[in-house]
Amino acid sequence: WKRNNCPADVKTLGRHTWTLLHTMAAYYPEKPEKKQQESMKTFFESFSEHYPCWFCKNDFKQDMAENPIDVTNRETLSEWLCRRHNKVNEKLGKKQFDCTKVFERWLTGPANGKCDE
Ligand code: FAD
């Protein structure tokens, strides 16, 4: 029996989910309105309730409780999310991502066009 990502496994789901989350953070307004701040907070609260990987979800929820989301603006949200992702990277023994490069990775794209170097 060969796995062909149907249905998505934890890795595929994770990779695609991080793409959505980091891209959402990168396109979050630089000066959000109160309503936008509230709905982003609500989104992440719901996300951590419904993410379809129970052990990922439980740890993420706990991490969010210890490190509350910062929806002040694009920069604070992107930084917060980068740190949350790094927490998961640490748990999985993956290397830490340099959070100063978060906009290069998820918004502008690096000069050499290679996102994972
Ligand atoms: P990914 O970690 O999916 O990263 C994708 C790309 O994001 C990378 O190639 C890199 O360019 C970029 N990136 C990496 N780190 C950062 C960062 N800190 N900030 C910004 N960009 C970054 N898997 C488990 O086995 N156990 C878990 O408990 C678990 N919890 C998860 C919780 C959440 C909320 C999510 C969304 C996923 C979780 N996963 C978990 C999946 C895991 O994080 C990876 O997505 C999966 O292992 C695939 O890894 P990857 O090497 O393709 O890169």
Side-chain angles (χ1 to χ4, degrees):
W1 183 68
K2 189 174 169 285
R3 266 206 96 89
N4 60 356
N5 278 331
C6 172
D9 60 17
V10 173
K11 283 188 181 175
T12 302
L13 179 66
R15 204 171 299 137
H16 292 299
T17 301
W18 287 123
T19 299
L20 172 66
L21 296 180
H22 287 297
T23 307
M24 274 177 72
Y27 282 85
Y28 184 64
E30 290 174 338
K31 292 182 180 166
E33 290 165 14
K34 191 107 206 118
K35 217 176 129 203
Q36 293 172 309
Q37 293 177 322
E38 280 161 10
S39 71
M40 186 57 87
K41 194 162 179 274
T42 303
F43 171 85
F44 271 97
E45 281 163 4
S46 300
F47 169 81
S48 69
E49 194 69 43
H50 296 287
Y51 189 62
C53 159
W54 68 269
F55 50 91
C56 309
K57 174 181 81 172
N58 288 349
D59 286 355
F60 192 69
K61 244 175 142 172
Q62 187 173 336
D63 188 33
M64 274 188 72
E66 290 164 10
N67 301 280
I69 188 167
D70 189 342
V71 292
T72 309
N73 57 42
R74 174 182 294 180
E75 203 168 326
T76 65
L77 182 65
S78 296
E79 171 83 21
W80 173 84
L81 186 62
C82 184
R83 287 173 190 270
R84 307 286 62 75
H85 192 164
N86 269 340
K87 201 68 161 276
V88 180
N89 289 341
E90 188 186 346
K91 177 169 96 171
L92 299 180
K94 293 176 196 266
K95 65 174 186 207
Q96 293 288 289
F97 184 90
D98 176 359
C99 290
T100 63
K101 301 234 164 84
V102 81
F103 290 126
E104 191 181 289
R105 173 66 178 88
W106 295 107
L107 189 66
T108 59
N112 68 3
K114 295 179 181 171
C115 281
D116 273 326
E117 284 184 356

